[in-house]
Amino acid sequence: MTYIEQLGANAKAAEKYIANAGTKKKNEALKAIADALVKNTDLIIEQNKLDLQNAKENNISEVMQDRLMLNADRIEGIAQCVLKLIDLEDVVGSVEYGAVRPNGLKISKVRVPLGTIGIIFESRPNVTVDAATLCMKAGNAVILKGGKEAINSNKCLTEIMRNAVVSTGLPADIIQLVTDTSRECTTELMKLNKYLDVLIPRGGAGLINAVVANATVPVIETGTGNCHIFIDASADIETAVNITDNGKTQRPSVCNALESMLVHKDIAEKFLPLVKERLDNHKVQFFGCSRTKEILGDCVTLATEEDYATEFLDYKISVKVVENIDEAIEHISKYTTHHSECIITENLSNAVRFQNEIDAAAVYVNASTRFTDGSEFGFGAEIGISTQKLHARGPMGLKELTSAKYIIMGTGQTR
């Protein structure tokens, strides 16, 4: 049995204990994890510093280093997210449908855990805790595969969580981390059909595409966000500037950050200089069409097809001046990753048309795409943003980490 197969076998053996743990026991384990994270803050920071040092030596960008970094405030924030899970309704065992058939059969549709979930993710060590605790609250065992750039942080966090769940009487192997960072182990995990019920990649386009192309385990796609904002002719300028600034610069390294801006020709000369002035505070680079360059000058690099298709995850934005809403919708439809798209408009018919015609998990009118988040939607923590249409779409919370089982009660009926 290989290393990865052993992890799978461990998870399957532990799976029944968390699936049948009940809400009280799961919440006890979550409380133990939150307390242990805070108690071990110094140890976590110590291990995280090793990852940060490696990141600097490998010339990883400052934006990506920020995603990697843990400090006392961030660890406290992670612990608070775990505690919030305790307050969320436990969906396992809830009855979604019930009926009595003419033949007397009583049929119920009940939420049940997915089983064992594999999660492959990059950079952000907070995902280690978010993913593990969400899976656990939904009654699942989990095998985590983080990026090598966060290996020391992830090992530390996982060991803390495993010890915490053991202290409440649950087996440690409901949470496991792949500590071998080789590509071969990642590929083997993608094909672990015997033990994994579903695989969830969380990261950039490269990671997600690689998992989708190579996995034989069923995959839920999450994360890639080439998010657009369209500034319509009727847009309130101040609103448009504020939302664009927030969407691009509040946290550029996340999947719901803005990457591309479309501006109606009738408002472009007024809007573009104002939004550039605001974005200059963060030294945002502009990649734009020829009309954008005419208005803003040499600070604009002429955009290529690749620029319009890129999820920058950085202080960069692609820009295009468009004739009308038709061209805006056509452009977005060509380059969208189906994550989050936004229109700024005071025209109700254009707002409704944009909502109806844009194919994305979240479509905004006069609000920042940065709100595409399980917590902001009132779902609590999330495992990621699903950009596909089967099983789950948008922020994936507890319900999306469960499946359904039909329970049929009879009195001897035959067919």
Side-chain angles (χ1 to χ4, degrees):
M1 184 176 284
T2 68
Y3 167 63
I4 293 296
E5 287 175 330
Q6 185 63 61
L7 293 181
N10 294 345
K12 275 301 173 190
E15 180 186 300
K16 62 183 178 182
Y17 295 100
I18 187 63
N20 297 300
T23 304
K24 182 179 178 181
K25 176 61 71 175
K26 290 186 289 188
N27 286 345
E28 285 178 5
L30 291 170
K31 178 66 164 58
I33 288 173
D35 291 345
L37 290 171
V38 174
K39 182 179 179 181
N40 288 281
T41 293
D42 291 343
L43 175 61
I44 296 168
I45 291 173
E46 177 186 311
Q47 294 301 307
N48 182 247
K49 285 180 178 178
L50 298 177
D51 292 327
L52 287 172
Q53 184 59 41
N54 290 334
K56 291 174 182 176
E57 292 174 359
N58 289 303
N59 297 315
I60 292 177
S61 71
E62 290 186 8
V63 170
M64 299 309 288
Q65 287 183 45
D66 178 65
R67 297 184 76 170
L68 179 60
M69 187 269 290
L70 292 175
N71 55 28
D73 287 342
R74 288 189 177 183
I75 294 167
E76 174 66 29
I78 293 169
Q80 287 301 314
C81 286
V82 176
L83 292 176
K84 287 178 182 177
L85 281 176
I86 295 173
D87 296 327
L88 293 181
E89 180 183 358
D90 189 352
V91 297
V92 176
S94 61
V95 179
E96 292 193 338
Y97 164 85
V100 179
R101 301 296 299 152
N103 62 4
L105 287 178
K106 296 178 180 179
I107 301 175
S108 301
K109 183 180 181 181
V110 180
R111 301 310 302 179
V112 295
L114 285 170
T116 295
I117 300 175
I119 300 178
I120 301 177
F121 57 100
E122 297 172 326
S123 301
R124 295 163 62 186
N126 65 293
V127 175
T128 305
V129 179
D130 290 347
T133 53
L134 269 163
C135 288
M136 192 176 75
K137 176 79 177 197
N140 301 290
V142 64
I143 299 175
L144 303 161
K145 175 65 174 70
K148 64 181 179 180
E149 65 278 2
I151 186 61
N152 294 292
S153 305
N154 290 341
K155 286 168 67 175
C156 181
L157 291 167
T158 302
E159 192 61 25
I160 289 169
M161 290 190 290
R162 283 167 60 86
N163 289 335
V165 299
V166 167
S167 73
T168 66
L170 289 170
D173 287 341
I174 60 174
I175 302 171
Q176 295 181 95
L177 176 73
V178 179
T179 57
D180 185 332
T181 60
S182 68
R183 187 181 299 271
E184 291 75 19
C185 275
T186 304
T187 302
E188 187 178 357
L189 186 67
M190 294 181 198
K191 302 180 185 298
L192 202 63
N193 295 65
K194 182 177 179 180
Y195 299 109
L196 288 185
D197 294 285
V198 67
L199 189 62
I200 303 174
R202 183 167 170 174
L207 170 68
I208 293 169
N209 292 338
V211 173
V212 171
N214 292 289
T216 55
V217 175
V219 175
I220 300 176
E221 296 180 47
T222 71
T224 307
N226 186 18
C227 303
H228 297 78
I229 188 168
F230 169 47
I231 315 301
D232 195 18
S234 65
D236 178 84
I237 294 290
E238 183 178 359
T239 298
V241 170
N242 288 339
I243 290 176
T244 303
D245 180 30
N246 178 260
K248 180 68 263 181
T249 69
Q250 197 249 353
R251 198 171 182 191
S253 62
V254 293
C255 62
N256 57 22
L258 283 178
E259 303 292 12
S260 191
M261 176 169 58
L262 307 173
V263 185
H264 194 289
K265 65 176 183 179
D266 293 348
I267 204 172
E269 289 190 13
K270 184 176 182 181
F271 171 75
L272 283 172
L274 291 174
V275 78
K276 178 187 178 300
E277 182 180 357
R278 181 72 70 83
L279 297 183
D280 277 350
N281 292 328
H282 293 272
K283 298 181 174 59
V284 174
Q285 295 176 255
F286 284 71
F287 300 83
C289 64
S290 57
R291 181 65 181 130
T292 303
K293 192 173 181 68
E294 286 177 15
I295 295 171
L296 295 181
D298 292 339
C299 68
V300 177
T301 302
L302 285 176
T304 63
E305 288 284 310
E306 183 179 356
D307 292 326
Y308 286 125
T310 296
E311 181 189 27
F312 294 112
L313 300 174
D314 202 347
Y315 291 108
K316 300 176 182 179
I317 193 167
S318 62
V319 188
K320 186 176 184 181
V321 177
V322 295
E323 288 287 318
N324 47 41
I325 190 173
D326 300 281
E327 187 179 355
I329 290 173
E330 181 181 355
H331 180 96
I332 293 172
S333 298
K334 180 177 181 180
Y335 295 106
T336 184
T337 54
H338 308 287
H339 191 296
S340 300
E341 311 292 8
C342 172
I343 183 174
I344 308 299
T345 186
E346 297 298 310
N347 184 310
L348 179 59
S349 63
N350 280 356
V352 172
R353 183 181 170 197
F354 191 86
Q355 288 177 312
N356 289 340
E357 295 187 22
I358 292 298
D359 180 16
V363 182
Y364 290 84
V365 176
N366 298 331
S368 173
T369 59
R370 287 284 288 114
F371 285 105
T372 306
D373 179 277
S375 179
E376 295 293 337
F377 280 18
F379 305 154
E382 65 176 37
I383 205 74
I385 309 296
S386 173
T387 54
Q388 63 183 38
K389 297 183 180 180
L390 296 179
H391 171 62
R393 196 178 199 195
M396 291 180 60
L398 292 175
K399 184 176 180 180
E400 287 72 28
L401 292 177
T402 63
S403 184
K405 176 190 288 186
Y406 284 91
I407 305 296
I408 302 94
M409 297 294 291
T411 54
Q413 291 90 336
T414 60
R415 181 177 178 182

